Amino acid sequence: VPTIRHLKNTNMKRFPALGASLALLLAAGCGEQTVAPRFTTLHVDTLLVCGTARYSVRYDFTSIANASEDAALQAIEEANIRNFFDLEYSPGSARQAADTALADLYAEMIPDQETEYAWENTLSAQSDAAVVADTLLVYTIDMSGYSGGAHGYTVRNYSLKGGYDLMLNDLFDATQRDLLDELIRDKLYDRYGVADDVGLAAEGFFPEEIAATENFAIGEQ
């Protein structure tokens, strides 16, 4: 039974409708054939040097090898390329995207090439993909290092039938979203041993900003 990963091992009796929305969504695609993705990995490990500036870059991009066989897979592949390589558009293949991203990084180094001090930036980016219940593709991107750009762990959930992102509004209505936010807050109370938002604020949280985000993964339980 599919479930939202961060809801695992929680008391779902209070939220019976949360799982129902996802089950209905998955069931809607059961009658139509989808093309199963085949994965391959593009490895790029290079050092960019411009004057005294050095940029160590490693990419491990999980690509859909058979994306050209299905429009939905092609749409997912192009979205993953844009997100992984931080591009506004997909220039073509993953290899072309890597070359474009490296060129962009090198261009950032040029103004610093004549500085009197040496600096070195690093960027390591890995991705992974998993098929859930034969209808969804969960794609994760993990970025680390120091490059002045966005880093962190991000997740995308795609419909293999339509090739589009699944967002929280696709899974939950407004009432269910409120219940989900309550569940997150209750889990934080338990984790930090506090009774209310005042206690969370003392732990460094901004309680008014606690809410479910689009950075979630759908898994199987």
Side-chain angles (χ1 to χ4, degrees):
V1 177
T3 181
I4 301 298
R5 183 173 299 167
H6 62 257
L7 297 185
K8 187 176 182 180
N9 295 328
T10 59
N11 182 4
M12 294 299 293
K13 291 182 180 179
R14 292 179 56 201
F15 307 94
L18 298 184
S21 296
L22 182 55
L24 289 174
L25 180 69
L26 295 175
C30 292
E32 298 187 25
Q33 188 72 24
T34 59
V35 177
R38 299 194 308 271
F39 302 112
T40 185
T41 304
L42 170 67
H43 300 284
V44 177
D45 195 352
T46 188
L47 177 65
L48 304 176
V49 179
C50 183
T52 59
R54 298 160 65 88
Y55 213 136
S56 177
V57 182
R58 178 181 176 88
Y59 294 132
D60 293 293
F61 175 75
T62 299
S63 179
I64 302 176
N66 60 329
S68 61
E69 298 177 6
D70 180 72
L73 293 185
Q74 187 64 43
I76 295 171
E77 174 77 352
E78 292 176 0
N80 287 337
I81 286 175
R82 292 192 302 271
N83 294 326
F84 184 89
F85 294 104
D86 194 23
L87 302 174
E88 294 184 359
Y89 66 95
S90 173
S93 67
R95 177 70 253 191
Q96 291 171 313
D99 291 341
T100 299
L102 290 172
D104 289 346
L105 292 177
Y106 188 81
E108 295 175 5
M109 301 168 64
I110 293 177
D112 296 317
Q113 63 179 322
E114 296 181 357
T115 59
E116 296 181 356
Y117 62 91
W119 62 263
E120 182 168 352
N121 284 351
T122 62
L123 173 63
S124 177
Q126 297 86 35
S127 62
D128 197 9
V131 175
V132 177
D134 296 328
T135 62
L136 303 176
L137 189 149
V138 179
Y139 197 85
T140 59
I141 300 174
D142 189 7
M143 303 186 72
S144 61
Y146 177 75
S147 65
H151 297 114
Y153 187 82
T154 59
V155 184
R156 298 273 180 160
N157 303 275
Y158 297 101
S159 163
L160 286 174
K161 186 178 81 168
Y164 52 82
D165 275 317
L166 287 171
M167 314 301 286
L168 287 175
N169 285 339
D170 297 315
L171 305 176
F172 309 120
D173 61 27
T175 299
Q176 293 165 344
R177 287 285 300 268
D178 289 341
L179 292 174
L180 183 59
D181 292 345
E182 288 181 20
L183 177 60
I184 293 172
R185 183 177 259 94
D186 288 343
K187 294 291 287 185
L188 289 173
Y189 291 163
D190 291 341
R191 176 174 296 181
Y192 290 91
V194 299
D196 51 30
D197 286 354
V198 174
L200 287 181
E203 294 291 334
F205 288 91
F206 296 94
E208 67 277 6
E209 298 181 5
I210 296 175
T213 71
E214 298 296 345
N215 195 25
F216 66 92
I218 299 174
E220 290 186 278
Q221 181 175 336

